[in-house]
Amino acid sequence: PNLPPIGSILALPQILITYYFIKKNNFLSIDVSDMIFRAIDNIDDGIIVENTQREIIYCNQGLLELLERSNRDEIKGKKIEDIIAFHELDPRRGDRTKEYLTFTGKNGEDKHILIKFFKLNDRFGEYFGGTYTVKDVTDLISSIKELAQAEINLQQQVEERTRELQAEIEIRTQSEEKYKFIAYHDSMTKLLNRRSLFEKAEESLLAYPQNKHAFIFMDINFFKSINDRYGHSEGDRLLITTADRLKEVYTENCFVARFGGDEFVVFIQNTSKEEVDSYLQKMYQRFEEDYLIKGTKNKIELSHGQAIYPDDGTNLDRLIKIADDRMYADKKIKKAETLAKSPDIRQYSRD
C-alpha cells in the first residue's frame, strides 16, 4: 500500500500507544491493531513501543532493517538498552529526549542513528508507555563530516596560499629593496651614488634653508699610479678601503658618496664650520693608519675641498663646483710636497 501522509506518519507511534491504552481499559470493542501495524510497517524509520514495565511490545519492519535483525522475536520482551545503547532511558527526564548513536553494521561500515523518545502518561499522570523513533542519519552525518573536512581542506588551502603570497610578497619586497639599493648605491663601495647624494642634499636644503650645510669633496692622491703599477684589482681594494674608513669617520647627519672614479663627496647637513673642521681632523687621523699593498706599507693620501651653504652659495651645482675646485688646489699642493719629499715616486705619478 502507499505510505500515509507525513503528518500521519509522525502521529502513528502516539496512535499506537494510545490504542494500547484504550484496549487495556476496554474502551474499544473493535480490534484495529492489524491496520495500525501494517501502516507503521510502511514507515522507513524504526518504531519501538514499550509498556509500563519498559518492555518492548512492538517494533516495525523498518527497525529490523535498520538494526540488521531478522525477526521481531529477537526484540520483543526486551528493554531498549538491550538492543541499542540508548542512554536517555529515564521517563522522568521529560516528554521527549533524543540521542545520536553510532554502531558498526555487518558490512563493517559505521551506521549513524538518531533516537527520539516520546513518553505517554495515563489520566492519572502515571507513565503508561512510550515510543522510540529510530532514524538512519548516516548519509546526513557523512555529509556533515564531508562538509567539515571540505572546510578544513579549504582552510588549509587558504593558509597555504596565504603563506605562498607572503613568501611572494617577501621575495618581491626583497627584490624591490635590492633594486632600490642598486639604484641609489655604488656597486663596488656600497656608498651612496651621485644621484642619491644630490637627492639627499636637495631634501636637506629645502627642509632646512636657514641652517648651514657642508660639502667635502675628496679624491685619492696617486690613485692612477697605484692602478697602473699594481693592477685594477688592487685599485678596487684601495677604493673599498677608503670608502670603509670614510664611513667610520662621517657618521651622524652625514651622507657619504662615491662621486666617480677615486672621487668621494660627503654632505653634512645642519652643521657648522667647527664641526666640519672636526670631521676633517678625524678623517686625516684615520688615514694615518698604514695600508698594505703587496705586503708593503703605504699611506692612503687624500686631498679635499669644502663648500659651506649658504656662505659659499645656495645653488647645489655651484657648491659642488667650489668644493671640487678647492680639492684640486689642495691636491696640487700635497702632490708637490710628496714629490719633493720622495723624488723616486715621480716615475709612478701621472695624476
Side-chain angles (χ1 to χ4, degrees):
N2 295 330
L3 290 177
I6 185 64
S8 300
I9 294 174
L10 297 176
L12 280 173
Q14 287 83 347
I15 293 173
L16 184 60
I17 197 66
T18 302
Y19 167 72
Y20 274 104
F21 176 74
I22 293 172
K23 187 176 180 182
K24 178 182 178 182
N25 289 276
N26 298 316
F27 294 151
L28 193 65
S29 60
I30 304 172
D31 187 358
V32 295
S33 58
D34 185 60
M35 178 184 67
I36 295 176
F37 292 154
R38 281 190 287 112
I40 294 179
D41 265 341
N42 283 320
I43 301 175
D44 291 334
D45 296 341
I47 301 296
I48 297 174
V49 179
E50 68 179 20
N51 59 18
T52 307
Q53 289 74 39
R54 299 190 56 254
E55 297 172 344
I56 296 175
I57 58 176
Y58 172 78
C59 68
N60 70 342
Q61 185 63 32
L63 181 76
L64 297 178
E65 294 176 359
L66 196 152
L67 298 182
E68 300 179 353
R69 300 297 183 94
S70 58
N71 59 72
R72 292 181 174 87
D73 293 336
E74 298 179 35
I75 297 175
K76 285 183 178 181
K78 296 181 180 179
K79 295 185 177 181
I80 189 168
E81 58 264 35
D82 297 329
I83 60 170
I84 303 175
F86 185 58
H87 300 153
E88 302 287 352
L89 299 175
D90 189 350
R92 292 171 297 178
R93 288 178 179 266
D95 292 337
R96 296 182 181 182
T97 57
K98 64 180 179 179
E99 183 174 344
Y100 287 96
L101 297 173
T102 301
F103 67 94
T104 304
K106 292 181 179 179
N107 59 1
E109 296 181 356
D110 286 343
K111 272 191 175 183
H112 305 281
I113 57 176
L114 170 63
I115 304 176
K116 292 183 179 180
F117 171 68
F118 300 87
K119 180 175 70 170
L120 183 66
N121 295 333
D122 62 18
R123 57 184 173 177
F124 303 107
E126 297 296 327
Y127 179 64
F128 176 70
T131 63
Y132 298 86
T133 303
V134 185
K135 185 177 184 63
D136 187 349
V137 291
T138 302
D139 291 342
L140 176 62
I141 298 297
S142 298
S143 298
I144 293 173
K145 288 183 176 180
E146 289 175 3
L147 179 60
Q149 186 60 48
E151 291 179 353
I152 293 173
N153 294 340
L154 179 60
Q155 181 64 28
Q156 291 175 343
Q157 291 175 4
V158 170
E159 292 175 355
E160 183 178 353
R161 183 55 184 155
T162 300
R163 288 193 294 270
E164 291 175 355
L165 289 174
Q166 289 174 341
E168 291 175 8
I169 291 172
E170 185 176 351
I171 293 173
R172 186 177 301 174
T173 300
Q174 291 175 351
S175 298
E176 290 175 354
E177 291 175 352
K178 179 181 178 181
Y179 292 138
K180 185 176 180 180
F181 185 88
I182 292 173
Y184 285 91
H185 292 79
D186 175 60
S187 59
M188 180 186 297
T189 63
K190 309 307 181 206
L191 296 177
L192 298 176
N193 57 23
R194 182 184 303 200
R195 168 191 173 185
S196 182
L197 180 77
F198 274 113
E199 287 186 5
K200 298 290 186 184
E202 287 175 349
E203 291 173 2
S204 296
L205 297 183
L206 287 172
Y208 309 101
Q210 305 302 321
N211 296 352
K212 289 184 181 297
H213 308 278
F215 288 92
I216 302 176
F217 211 107
M218 293 162 286
D219 83 348
I220 304 172
N221 295 338
F222 306 107
F223 176 74
K224 190 173 187 306
S225 301
I226 294 171
N227 243 351
D228 292 344
R229 183 176 184 182
Y230 297 105
H232 289 284
S233 60
E234 195 61 50
D236 292 345
R237 190 171 72 87
L238 177 58
L239 290 172
I240 293 171
T241 301
T242 301
D244 291 341
R245 293 188 183 184
L246 289 175
K247 283 188 289 186
E248 292 176 15
V249 173
Y250 296 97
T251 54
E252 296 181 2
N253 65 310
C254 299
F255 300 94
V256 186
R258 182 186 178 194
F259 214 63
D262 63 326
E263 295 177 332
F264 300 88
V265 175
V266 177
F267 172 72
I268 309 175
Q269 65 176 3
N270 302 324
T271 187
S272 64
K273 189 177 185 308
E274 291 74 20
E275 185 179 43
V276 173
D277 290 342
S278 175
Y279 269 124
L280 288 170
Q281 183 179 2
K282 292 177 183 177
M283 181 183 77
Y284 282 113
Q285 288 175 350
R286 180 66 184 86
F287 280 86
E288 286 178 1
E289 179 183 332
D290 289 333
Y291 174 74
L292 296 177
I293 302 178
K294 304 294 185 181
T296 303
K297 292 182 180 180
N298 292 270
K299 300 289 184 186
I300 301 176
E301 296 186 13
L302 298 178
S303 296
H304 86 277
Q306 67 189 57
I308 307 293
Y309 168 96
D311 300 352
D312 294 314
T314 57
N315 180 272
L316 192 59
D317 292 331
R318 172 69 178 164
L319 291 167
I320 292 290
K321 179 68 168 59
I322 291 172
D324 189 26
D325 290 344
R326 290 174 178 173
M327 182 272 294
Y328 273 106
D330 183 57
K331 186 180 185 73
K332 185 176 181 180
I333 294 171
K334 287 180 178 176
K335 284 184 64 177
E337 291 175 350
T338 301
L339 292 173
K341 293 177 183 178
S342 304
D344 57 323
I345 201 173
R346 187 180 301 274
Q347 60 178 316
Y348 304 113
S349 176
R350 300 181 184 178
D351 60 339

